[in-house]
């Protein structure tokens, strides 16, 4: 899973995170089972059971698309591989996380808030759902069951001894909530995760079933690899993707509907995505078929889809060579409307919308989700207690891939650049223990830990270790203890001891010799900001030249930048100018942008025609005391009309301040940005808001300002800006 978690600029520092993730019809009866049960008796011998996965599902379900319900019946065969005798069986009913907003995962809250604004007719209860268990039986005999706190407990009439298997039949009905969560419907798509009761994992060390509810803040995906045979009855027009081999046949009893069947053995989890408007692009190479289900809603999209498919093949091949072969005959990608979050499932990943400026060859969120096929789908783990094992390895893997593609910006330097000294959570912490610091703890510190191991032992030994780790835990659930044992067996005692210490040390930081030098850090930040501004500014087609953040982009592209201060300001205004200049210089310094400051009239006169005529300019101070503004006043007034800014009127508003950006009166290829105030100086309580608004207007994460005017307290009274689609992923500190 990848969740964008960017922060906008504050008044004193520019911070950011660069990564850069759901009753009309009767319940289907047991007589409509997909196939002969794997075990028709309640128990079977160990020898017979070894021919099958520990858990086998046969699911029949019908989608009621008019009422957004799923009516289903599942036959589940479970083999007791523990040494304990079991008297009950526990299933996760994660769909019940949607019974109240208090239990729904928070990572989709922002998306749902936006959807609520777009759909004011939708009531809060429309965003809720849940699963009702209609029946539970074995061998035709009803069993006592209870469904509480997202856990279905079924009491067995006959105890289940080690090595024996039991077959249960569960009838259920699901209400699908509106929204963008893992189980949801929105516009023309249904996201079908957590839609049926799924077997819990039994912990024989604790002698208990894992019955924790789904994490409110992160993920709780912990399953045994299982065999699935799923039949889903849907309208004929729907395209449905699921993991496994898919076949489709018309419903002989109900014209206009069809039954989509998926058979998926040795699969960690089973999900579906369905839409009447999906278009499918598929490519087969060397026995692997990659399918992209997408909405054909913009010109040139097929070309981008083809490029994403190429990227999928490339990354799957890389991870297959480095870790172990991807064992399935297919891999599928589902496009959805979710923004800021990409989500992994077994043999399937969910991505957001492809946009005109999407760059498949550098979309490392996409690669991160594909890496999860190894670290989640193939090598499982308890993502509630040891999330590092999937998120840390998936994030390291995307960087490893980028490094080997020769991508200097997204390769190992992106790991070396991270300063995580302020994160005092151990990598081995549980979701509860890390609070809201999952991303820096599991992803960033986690990948640093793996990178340090990589650097310590070298690539050849590291790859050997990873192949052994994959061999031991393919289709199984790994643990941190199992990881450490594999390190010990392949790399030695010292390597195990060091990794053990790293994972449990809340103050772990990368060894100095593996960090970047000051010069390398500066160069990296410069290139990263250069890339980020370019990406941001291409989000809006035909974005006007006169936007404030574009002046930073131009400076990052090595165009000259000059800051011109008011030289005839009073003493108070001069102090304020220095405070504001310091804020601006701090930001320019972080970005590695060279600039010149002009603060006296004589220098200004010398440079006005030549140097300043070819430079982008940031002017600071009152229009009446800044020599540059006075000299270029006629041209400024004329150019201001192009952005709809009434220059004369704005400069005559007492105690007002603000900013505007125009094309340079002397040079159409350069910009001039003026941060102004009217009167002798800003009021004391307006200096900080003025500086903060100045920096916010310049960053790539904000909307694209053309002008704004502040009142005497520093609050925005009027402005003109173009919405930046990236801005919604950034929040104020």
């Amino acid at each position: 899973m990848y969740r964008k978690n960017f922060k906008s600029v504050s008044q004193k520092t520019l911070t950011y995170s660069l990564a850069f993730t759901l009753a009309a019809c009767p319940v289907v009866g047991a007589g409509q089972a997909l196939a002969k049960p794997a075990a028709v008796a309640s128990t079977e011998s160990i020898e017979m059971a070894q021919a099958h996965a520990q858990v086998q599902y046969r699911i029949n379900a019908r989608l009621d698309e008019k009422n957004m319900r799923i009516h289903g019946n599942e036959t589940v065969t479970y083999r007791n591989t523990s040494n304990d005798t079991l008297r009950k069986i526990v299933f996760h009913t994660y769909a019940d996380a949607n019974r109240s907003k208090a239990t729904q995962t928070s990572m989709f809250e922002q998306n749902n808030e936006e959807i609520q604004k777009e759909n004011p007719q939708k009531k809060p209860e429309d965003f809720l759902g849940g699963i009702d268990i209609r029946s539970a039986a074995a061998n035709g005999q009803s069993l006592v069951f209870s469904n509480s706190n997202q856990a279905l407990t079924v009491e067995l009439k006959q105890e289940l001894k080690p090595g024996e298997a039991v077959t249960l039949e569960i009838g259920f009905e699901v209400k699908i909530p509106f929204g963008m969560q893992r189980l949801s419907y929105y516009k023309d798509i249904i996201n079908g995760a957590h839609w049926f009761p799924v077997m819990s994992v039994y912990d024989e060390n604790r002698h208990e079933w894992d019955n924790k509810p789904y994490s409110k803040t992160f993920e709780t995906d912990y399953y045994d690899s299982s065999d699935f045979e799923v039949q889903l009855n849907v309208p004929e027009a729907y395209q449905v993707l699921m993991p496994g081999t898919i076949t489709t046949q018309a419903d002989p009893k109900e014209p206009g509907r069809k039954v989509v069947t998926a058979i998926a053995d040795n699969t960690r989890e089973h999900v579906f995505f369905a839409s009447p408007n999906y278009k499918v692009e598929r490519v087969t190479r060397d026995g692997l078929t990659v399918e992209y289900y997408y909405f054909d809603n913009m010109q040139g999209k097929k070309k981008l889809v083809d490029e994403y498919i190429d990227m999928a093949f490339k990354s799957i091949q890389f991870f297959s060579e480095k870790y172990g072969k991807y064992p399935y005959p297919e891999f599928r990608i589902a496009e959805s409307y979710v923004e800021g979050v990409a989500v992994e499932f077994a043999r399937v990943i969910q991505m957001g919308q492809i946009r005109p400026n999407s760059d498949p060859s550098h979309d490392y969120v996409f690669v991160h989700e594909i890496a999860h096929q190894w670290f989640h789908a193939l090598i499982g783990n308890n993502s509630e207690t040891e999330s590092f094992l999937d998120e840390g390895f998936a994030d390291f893997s995307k960087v490893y891939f980028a490094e080997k593609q020769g991508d200097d910006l997204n390769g190992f330097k992106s790991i070396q650049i991270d300063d995580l000294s302020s994160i005092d959570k151990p990598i081995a912490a549980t979701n509860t223990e890390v609070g809201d610091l999952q991303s820096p703890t599991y992803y960033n510190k986690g990948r640093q830990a793996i990178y340090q191991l990589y650097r310590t032992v070298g690539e050849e030994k590291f790859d050997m270790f990873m192949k052994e780790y994959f061999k031991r835990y393919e289709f199984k659930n790994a643990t941190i203890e199992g990881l450490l044992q594999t390190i010990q067996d392949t790399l030695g005692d010292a390597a195990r001891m060091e990794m053990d210490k790293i994972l449990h040390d809340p103050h772990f930081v990368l060894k100095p010799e593996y960090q970047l030098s000051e010069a390398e850090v500066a160069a990296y930040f410069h290139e990263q900001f250069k890339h980020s501004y370019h990406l941001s500014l291409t989000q809006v087609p035909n974005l006007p030249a006169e936007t404030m953040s574009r002046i930073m982009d131009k400076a990052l592209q090595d165009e000259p930048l000059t800051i011109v201060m008011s030289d005839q300001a009073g003493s108070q205004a001069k102090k304020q100018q220095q405070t504001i200049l310091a804020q601006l210089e701090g930001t320019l310094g972080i970005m590695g942008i060279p600039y010149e400051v002009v603060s006296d009239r004589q220098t200004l006169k010398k440079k006005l025609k030549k140097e300043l005529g070819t430079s982008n300019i940031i002017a600071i101070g009152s229009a009446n005391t800044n020599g540059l503004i006075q000299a270029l006043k006629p041209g400024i007034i004329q150019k201001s009309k192009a952005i709809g800014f009434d220059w004369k009127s704005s400069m005559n508003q007492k105690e007002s301040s603000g900013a505007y950006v125009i094309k340079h009166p002397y040079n159409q290829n350069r910009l001039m940005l003026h941060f102004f105030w009217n009167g002798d100086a800003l009021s004391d309580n307006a200096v900080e808001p003025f500086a903060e608004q100045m920096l916010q207007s310049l960053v790539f994460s904000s909307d694209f300002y053309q002008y704004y005017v502040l009142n005497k307290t520093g609050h925005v009274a009027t402005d003109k800006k173009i919405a930046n689609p990236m801005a919604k992923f950034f929040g104020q500190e």
Side-chain angles (χ1 to χ4, degrees):
M1 187 271 294
Y2 202 91
R3 174 173 51 182
K4 292 182 181 177
N5 184 27
F6 299 131
K7 289 184 178 179
S8 182
V9 67
S10 72
Q11 63 192 38
K12 291 187 177 180
T13 181
L14 187 68
T15 60
Y16 59 96
S17 175
L18 296 161
F20 18 115
T21 246
L22 167 79
C25 302
V27 174
V28 180
Q32 294 174 276
L34 299 178
K36 182 180 178 180
V40 294
S42 61
T43 62
E44 63 177 21
S45 68
I46 297 175
E47 291 77 13
M48 291 179 66
Q50 285 174 341
H52 307 293
Q54 181 182 0
V55 188
Q56 295 172 283
Y57 297 85
R58 291 175 294 106
I59 304 173
N60 288 274
R62 186 184 193 281
L63 173 66
D64 175 4
E65 74 285 357
K66 293 183 176 63
N67 298 297
M68 283 300 160
R69 299 286 196 278
I70 300 174
H71 306 272
N73 177 277
E74 65 181 22
T75 301
V76 183
T77 299
Y78 175 77
R79 179 165 51 92
N80 182 7
T81 59
S82 76
N83 292 317
D84 295 345
T85 295
L86 305 178
R87 293 169 178 80
K88 63 183 180 181
I89 301 293
V90 177
F91 295 81
H92 294 298
T93 49
Y94 288 145
D96 271 348
N98 297 299
R99 287 205 182 269
S100 76
K101 189 174 180 180
T103 54
Q104 283 181 321
T105 179
S106 61
M107 66 180 65
F108 299 96
E109 281 182 2
Q110 188 173 348
N111 285 318
N112 284 347
E113 287 170 3
E114 293 297 321
I115 292 174
Q116 178 74 73
K117 295 174 185 176
E118 297 169 4
N119 299 270
Q121 78 282 5
K122 290 291 185 180
K123 301 174 182 178
E125 55 265 33
D126 293 325
F127 289 83
L128 303 179
I131 182 169
D132 292 322
I133 306 303
R134 300 304 189 192
S135 61
N139 294 329
Q141 293 184 315
S142 296
L143 299 176
V144 175
F145 66 89
S146 62
N147 181 33
S148 176
N149 202 26
Q150 302 176 41
L152 167 64
T153 302
V154 180
E155 306 291 340
L156 299 177
K157 289 190 174 182
Q158 181 179 344
E159 63 184 18
L160 190 66
K161 296 177 181 179
E164 293 182 339
V166 63
T167 297
L168 303 177
E169 295 174 355
I170 310 293
F172 60 92
E173 180 180 333
V174 178
K175 176 182 181 290
I176 305 172
F178 182 72
M180 284 193 185
Q181 48 268 28
R182 286 176 171 85
L183 175 64
S184 59
Y185 72 95
Y186 175 65
K187 292 184 178 179
D188 54 353
I189 186 174
I190 298 171
N191 299 337
H194 306 155
W195 62 277
F196 60 90
V198 62
M199 282 294 313
S200 167
V201 176
Y202 183 77
D203 185 341
E204 67 176 317
N205 294 321
R206 294 176 176 268
H207 309 290
E208 64 183 17
W209 292 91
D210 173 41
N211 60 0
K212 294 182 179 64
Y214 206 86
S215 174
K216 167 77 175 172
T217 59
F218 202 53
E219 294 177 305
T220 312
D221 295 313
Y222 179 34
Y223 317 105
D224 289 314
S225 285
S226 307
D227 292 346
F228 290 91
E229 193 169 348
V230 179
Q231 279 191 344
L232 185 60
N233 187 302
V234 298
E236 192 174 36
Y238 276 52
Q239 284 276 15
V240 179
L241 76 139
M242 297 184 277
T245 301
I246 295 177
T247 57
T248 302
Q249 64 181 35
D251 186 337
K253 297 180 180 180
E254 192 172 1
R257 297 188 69 88
K258 64 184 179 183
V259 177
V260 182
T261 302
I263 298 176
D265 291 342
N266 266 327
T267 300
R268 187 74 54 185
E269 62 194 317
H270 210 279
V271 300
F272 76 87
F273 293 86
S275 173
N277 294 321
Y278 263 151
K279 188 171 181 179
V280 186
E281 203 65 36
R282 57 176 58 88
V283 177
T284 301
R285 297 175 188 168
D286 299 324
L288 173 65
T289 299
V290 174
E291 296 180 345
Y292 209 122
Y293 289 66
Y294 68 101
F295 301 105
D296 192 13
N297 53 9
M298 74 178 195
Q299 189 174 2
K301 195 164 187 177
K302 182 185 180 301
K303 179 177 182 296
L304 289 170
V305 167
D306 289 340
E307 291 176 11
Y308 270 110
I309 290 175
D310 285 341
M311 191 67 163
F313 275 112
K314 187 178 294 186
S315 52
I316 289 172
Q317 180 182 359
F318 178 83
F319 297 137
S320 291
E321 292 173 353
K322 288 293 184 180
Y323 304 148
K325 183 175 175 58
Y326 180 78
Y328 305 116
E330 91 296 324
F331 176 69
R332 297 187 172 101
I333 305 114
E335 183 179 40
S336 68
Y337 298 106
V338 67
E339 294 191 22
V341 181
V343 187
E344 75 280 0
F345 303 101
R347 305 163 73 163
V348 172
I349 62 173
Q350 175 187 6
M351 299 296 296
Q353 290 279 287
I354 295 175
R355 302 192 181 279
N357 63 324
S358 294
D359 182 5
S361 64
H362 293 91
D363 190 338
Y364 293 107
V365 172
F366 183 70
V367 177
H368 173 101
E369 301 310 326
I370 292 176
H372 269 305
Q373 297 307 304
W374 280 259
F375 308 105
H376 167 71
L378 292 170
I379 302 174
N381 64 284
N382 189 336
S383 58
E384 178 68 33
T385 60
E386 296 181 326
S387 276
F388 153 73
L389 289 175
D390 55 293
E391 295 299 353
F393 274 96
D395 223 43
F396 170 82
S397 296
K398 76 167 187 185
V399 177
Y400 196 6
F401 174 80
E403 178 73 17
K404 294 305 176 180
Q405 303 309 304
D407 189 334
D408 197 49
L409 199 60
N410 294 291
F412 287 150
K413 285 182 180 179
S414 66
I415 293 178
Q416 295 172 279
I417 198 73
D418 279 341
D419 179 3
L420 302 168
S421 57
S422 63
I423 307 300
D424 61 351
K425 304 293 183 182
I427 299 167
T430 67
N431 290 352
T432 301
E433 290 167 345
V434 300
D436 61 353
L437 296 176
Q438 297 100 339
S439 183
T441 303
Y442 300 141
Y443 295 67
N444 299 80
K445 285 179 73 171
R447 70 186 192 179
Q448 280 194 342
I450 301 166
Y451 174 68
Q452 186 156 301
L453 177 66
Y454 170 91
R455 287 290 300 272
T456 300
V457 302
E459 185 173 317
E460 184 177 350
K461 289 184 177 180
F462 177 83
D463 289 350
M464 175 191 69
F465 146 68
M466 289 301 300
K467 286 182 173 69
E468 178 62 23
Y469 180 55
F470 179 82
K471 179 181 176 182
R472 292 186 185 190
Y473 290 103
E474 184 183 17
F475 306 126
K476 300 181 179 71
N477 282 307
T479 61
I480 286 179
E481 176 57 34
L483 171 71
L484 293 173
Q485 188 61 54
T486 309
I487 292 174
Q488 182 176 355
D489 294 344
T490 56
L491 302 175
D493 294 347
R496 179 204 167 111
M497 290 176 62
E498 182 176 3
M499 181 59 83
D500 194 0
K501 179 181 177 182
I502 287 171
L503 296 182
H504 294 89
D505 180 4
H507 304 294
F508 161 71
V509 293
L510 203 59
K511 286 182 178 179
E513 59 265 36
Y514 301 146
Q515 298 177 19
L516 299 180
S517 67
E518 287 187 13
E520 288 173 323
V521 167
Y524 180 87
F525 274 137
H526 181 83
E527 289 303 312
Q528 187 64 278
F529 277 109
K530 184 176 179 178
H531 171 77
S532 298
Y533 271 90
H534 174 73
L535 178 64
S536 177
L537 289 162
T538 56
Q539 293 288 313
V540 179
N542 304 313
L543 182 70
E546 302 96 327
T547 57
M548 296 181 189
S549 54
R550 197 183 290 279
I551 202 167
M552 306 297 277
D553 176 59
K554 293 167 77 67
L556 286 163
Q557 301 292 337
D558 299 324
E559 291 186 15
L561 176 64
T562 304
I563 301 172
V564 181
M565 310 296 290
S566 289
D567 63 320
Q568 295 182 349
S571 59
Q572 183 182 2
K574 283 185 176 179
K575 288 180 182 178
Q576 293 174 350
Q577 283 188 162
Q578 290 304 312
T579 298
I580 293 163
L581 177 62
Q583 297 283 331
L584 180 58
E585 288 183 318
T587 298
L588 296 173
I590 290 173
M591 296 186 187
I593 293 176
Y595 59 92
E596 182 181 0
V597 178
V598 175
S599 56
D600 67 273
R601 191 65 57 104
Q602 292 304 315
T603 303
L604 177 63
K605 288 180 178 179
K606 291 178 182 178
K607 294 178 175 288
L608 187 59
K609 291 291 185 181
K610 293 185 179 179
E611 290 94 332
L612 293 182
T614 59
S615 178
N616 295 290
I617 295 174
I618 296 178
I620 298 176
S622 168
N624 295 324
T625 60
N626 190 294
L628 177 71
I629 303 302
Q630 287 296 307
L632 302 183
K633 185 175 177 180
I636 292 172
I637 294 172
Q638 182 64 33
K639 295 291 184 183
S640 294
K641 294 178 182 178
I643 63 169
F645 183 64
D646 189 335
W647 192 89
K648 288 183 177 180
S649 175
S650 297
M651 296 304 117
N652 288 326
Q653 293 180 25
K654 291 184 178 180
E655 298 188 90
S656 290
S657 58
Y660 59 91
V661 62
I662 59 173
K663 289 184 178 180
H664 194 309
Y666 286 175
N667 192 326
Q668 288 289 100
N669 296 318
R670 300 288 185 261
L671 294 176
M672 194 202 84
L673 172 58
H674 182 198
F675 293 105
F676 69 89
W677 56 81
N678 300 328
D680 294 332
L682 289 163
S683 61
D684 290 339
N685 62 352
V687 177
E688 286 193 7
F690 182 92
E692 182 158 0
Q693 184 65 33
M694 172 187 71
L695 295 183
Q696 184 173 334
S697 68
L698 292 172
V699 297
F700 65 87
S701 59
S702 175
D703 288 335
F704 303 114
Y705 283 90
Q706 294 195 290
Y707 67 79
Y708 59 83
V709 178
L710 310 177
N711 60 26
K712 63 181 180 181
T713 61
H715 293 91
V716 177
T718 182
D719 62 21
K720 182 180 179 182
K721 58 187 179 182
I722 295 99
N724 178 359
M726 290 178 64
K728 66 181 69 176
F729 303 126
F730 293 77
Q732 287 298 116
E733 280 193 311

